[in-house]
Amino acid sequence: MEHGSAADEARSRPEGGASAAPDTPEPALMPGRTGTGRAHAKVILFGEHAVVHGQPAIAFPMRKIGLQATAEAVPGELGLTVDIYDGPLAHAPAKLGSLVTTVESTLDLLHHPLRGVHVTCTGDIPLERGLGSSAAGASSIVNALADLTGTDLDERTRYELVQTGERVAHGSPSGLDAYTVVTERPIWFQAGRVEDLRVELSAPLVVADSGRPGDTHSAVGAVGEIRRSDPEQAAAYFETIRRHTVAAREDLAQDRAGSLGEHLDAVHETLRALSVSCTELDRLVAAAREAGALGAKLTGGGRGGCIIALARDLEHAPVLARALEEAGATQTWTIRPEEFTA
Ligand code: MEV
């Protein structure tokens, strides 16, 4: 049915109003009413992959890029508009399964019928680059639906809803992505538990996109396979990552950028051994080191996506970004120290 037809207008009712025909599902809200939501990207500093197996991780919100969602009350069925699809939610392609699940779970939680809402999500987080686009898409939608229905959802509830979608996207997500896109603070995350992190670091981070889409699902599967086929070796890799993550926590609190950089370098080598790097990421990490970075590693699921490099200071960051672009990065972002915690 076309949006806004006279018949649908007649059937619509104000929020909380009584239904005229109980056997006919009706939109709960006045057509045209709109809610909005935003969610930022995330960057994992330490612990990706190991976190899936119970080890700790450190992640920062990356506020300079994000996704915006609008949820509009409309007559008729649920609808979805994203860059790759525009149509009924029920017919969205399988790769949008996590967003579909998020919309439905959120409406359920909000006691809203599974109809009468059109969700649109756009923004500037590049897809499949390890920066949390799928979790941020889900988070922006949760926020927009909560706004549409005038509901306040706490951080934990929003996390659970995003995580429901992430399970569809990645099978067995640790929850790190889901938490980092709903929180405003750098976090220490382990086995679903979250702690705020003290960050006094005065050196900026440069994030560089290899231009190659990553594949978190297959990378997580490959690490799981190493764990099954060689549990001792896998345990040794996870222990190495854990050790660097624990030490990095102290470095972040004490502004020890040099030591932090060494941990980044070391963890990249372990992630390579776990088979989740690729030529493009290794090339960018090498270029960052050659350009004087204090350390560099891949970030996120890997096998494509982005690296992070620790610049010496604010003057060094643009030099590093240029070197990374010359080495093939399609895009770079500098995260200044004041953006870590703002
Ligand atoms: C992906 O951004 C991070 C991984 O550790 C997966 C997860 O934590 O669920 C690779």
Side-chain angles (χ1 to χ4, degrees):
M1 169 145 330
E2 72 281 15
H3 293 175
S5 74
D8 273 303
E9 286 291 341
R11 279 205 302 274
S12 67
R13 61 185 163 84
E15 188 180 8
S19 167
D23 53 342
T24 312
E26 294 186 70
L29 301 164
M30 272 302 238
R33 178 165 166 163
T34 300
T36 59
R38 184 181 189 277
H40 48 66
K42 58 90 193 179
V43 62
I44 300 175
L45 269 74
F46 290 92
E48 52 272 271
H49 288 290
V51 70
V52 176
H53 303 277
Q55 302 297 337
I58 293 174
F60 286 9
M62 184 173 167
R63 291 181 199 79
K64 50 182 7 124
I65 51 176
L67 297 178
Q68 295 79 33
T70 58
E72 186 185 353
V74 294
E77 59 198 331
L78 294 174
L80 179 67
T81 302
V82 293
D83 51 357
I84 60 163
Y85 179 73
D86 181 20
L89 191 81
H91 300 159
K95 70 187 300 188
L96 294 176
S98 69
L99 292 189
V100 171
T101 300
T102 304
V103 171
E104 293 176 346
S105 316
T106 308
L107 288 173
D108 260 351
L109 183 113
L110 296 169
H111 305 294
H112 188 286
L114 293 184
R115 66 189 303 278
V117 180
H118 191 99
V119 171
T120 302
C121 185
T122 57
D124 58 0
I125 306 181
L127 302 183
E128 300 171 332
R129 298 301 204 279
L131 299 179
S133 60
S134 78
S139 178
S140 66
I141 288 172
V142 169
N143 293 340
L145 291 170
D147 187 39
L148 175 70
T149 55
T151 315
D152 266 341
L153 297 177
D154 61 23
E155 196 169 280
R156 192 76 204 182
T157 307
R158 288 185 285 126
Y159 159 72
E160 299 287 356
L161 287 167
V162 174
Q163 184 63 344
T164 307
E166 286 292 279
R167 282 192 195 99
V168 174
H170 302 308
S172 55
S174 66
L176 176 63
D177 290 12
Y179 216 102
T180 316
V181 299
V182 302
T183 186
E184 294 297 323
R185 310 174 300 276
I187 57 167
W188 173 268
F189 183 97
Q190 184 168 22
R193 286 190 313 280
V194 185
E195 287 173 45
D196 287 355
L197 210 57
R198 187 168 152 229
V199 177
E200 301 293 340
L201 186 65
S202 56
L205 273 179
V206 176
V207 181
D209 183 354
S210 69
R212 173 176 165 166
D215 184 350
T216 301
H217 197 267
S218 94
V220 168
V223 173
E225 189 44 44
I226 293 176
R227 192 182 184 194
R228 269 186 297 281
S229 60
D230 194 346
E232 268 180 36
Q233 181 63 78
Y237 290 145
F238 296 153
E239 172 55 19
T240 302
I241 294 175
R242 187 198 66 78
R243 227 170 0 87
H244 289 294
T245 305
V246 169
R249 179 180 194 163
E250 227 18 65
D251 290 340
L252 285 168
Q254 305 296 332
D255 192 17
R256 292 191 298 238
S259 166
L260 188 71
E262 286 168 23
H263 296 305
L264 292 172
D265 283 344
V267 170
H268 184 72
E269 296 315 309
T270 309
L271 291 169
R272 287 189 65 200
L274 278 168
S275 82
V276 297
S277 191
C278 63
T279 317
E280 291 85 345
L281 292 173
D282 289 344
R283 189 186 308 129
L284 290 183
V285 164
R289 291 173 187 161
E290 256 169 53
L294 295 171
K297 65 177 268 295
L298 71 83
T299 183
R303 296 193 164 182
C306 292
I307 69 141
I308 52 172
L310 189 59
R312 295 179 171 272
D313 50 36
L314 278 175
E315 286 70 49
H316 183 228
V319 178
L320 188 51
R322 222 169 10 258
L324 287 163
E325 280 156 21
E326 278 161 18
T330 53
Q331 218 175 339
T332 60
W333 302 266
T334 296
I335 311 181
R336 302 160 69 92
E338 64 270 23
E339 296 174 75
F340 297 151
T341 50

